[in-house]
Amino acid sequence: MPELEMKPWLSMWIKPKLTVRGIINYNVKYRFILLSFLYGIPTMLQLAQNLSLGSVISLPAIMLFCLILSPIVGALGLIVCAAFLTWTGRWLGGRGSFMEMRCGVSWTNVTALVTVAVWIAMVFQFKEVIFYEGFTKMPMTVDEASFLSVYFFLQLVASIWSFILLLNAVSEVQRFSIWKAFFNITVAFLVGVALSWVLLFVIERIADLRV
């Protein structure tokens, strides 16, 4: 197989459509496992914080737990996201396949490099304390609060840019305009939320019946 001519880790930031099309033409599975890890690690670290794991287990154990599960969680997240976008996109006349969409969605997560770097910096600075649920409400020095503000700002910028990349990726895969791609994403999100509510309702009803 010939080498990929572009450098997607760089070009994806500024030429997302061209990059996504180039990767699809080259290999739709290109770097999927690594991108799954990049998507999964911030998710697992955030989950560890929400569960306040810092008050239960040591920092090395938390990091090991997150590293082991990140590729699995990330892959599942990307697959589900791509499936909903492909499914709902077909209602709108989209022409992209599931594998093409998975490729496009996966590469929008190059911005997770920033998020992962921010998490690493926060872990080094705050240690296991960052994995307490009320971490942001804890007393901090002026320097710590300033650093935290910078970290959150970088995460916000990365999230916004990731969404811009997602718009362009969906547009390229489905052959949509940017506005139609936005509509595709919105519909997929709403359908996902609706199905989640239905699933939770069913689970609650089953739990009530067992009681």
Side-chain angles (χ1 to χ4, degrees), residues 145-202:
S146 298
F147 279 125
L148 196 61
S149 297
V150 173
Y151 295 152
F152 287 162
F153 175 74
L154 290 174
Q155 285 184 316
L156 176 62
V157 172
S159 297
I160 293 172
W161 200 250
S162 180
F163 183 73
I164 292 172
L165 296 183
L166 180 62
L167 277 174
N168 281 272
V170 172
S171 173
E172 179 61 31
V173 171
Q174 300 284 41
R175 304 294 188 179
F176 286 163
S177 66
I178 289 295
W179 285 109
K180 198 169 183 180
F182 177 79
F183 188 54
N184 187 174
I185 294 168
T186 302
V187 172
F189 174 76
L190 293 175
V191 170
V193 170
L195 290 178
S196 298
W197 283 345
V198 171
L199 181 60
L200 288 173
F201 176 76
V202 171

Side-chain angles (χ1 to χ4, degrees), residues 80-102:
V80 170
C81 183
F84 274 99
L85 286 169
T86 305
W87 178 37
T88 56
R90 285 175 182 162
W91 303 347
L92 306 172
R95 292 184 283 172
S97 69
F98 165 74
M99 290 301 291
E100 289 174 338
M101 184 61 75
R102 193 189 75 170

Side-chain angles (χ1 to χ4, degrees), residues 13-32:
W13 291 82
I14 54 176
K15 297 179 179 178
K17 288 189 176 184
L18 183 63
T19 303
V20 167
R21 182 53 55 189
I23 296 171
I24 288 173
N25 292 337
Y26 174 70
N27 181 4
V28 291
K29 299 179 182 178
Y30 186 65
R31 298 288 186 265
F32 176 69

Side-chain angles (χ1 to χ4, degrees), residues 35-47:
L35 291 164
S36 295
F37 174 77
L38 283 177
Y39 181 73
I41 188 67
T43 303
M44 290 305 303
L45 291 171
Q46 186 62 59
L47 178 63

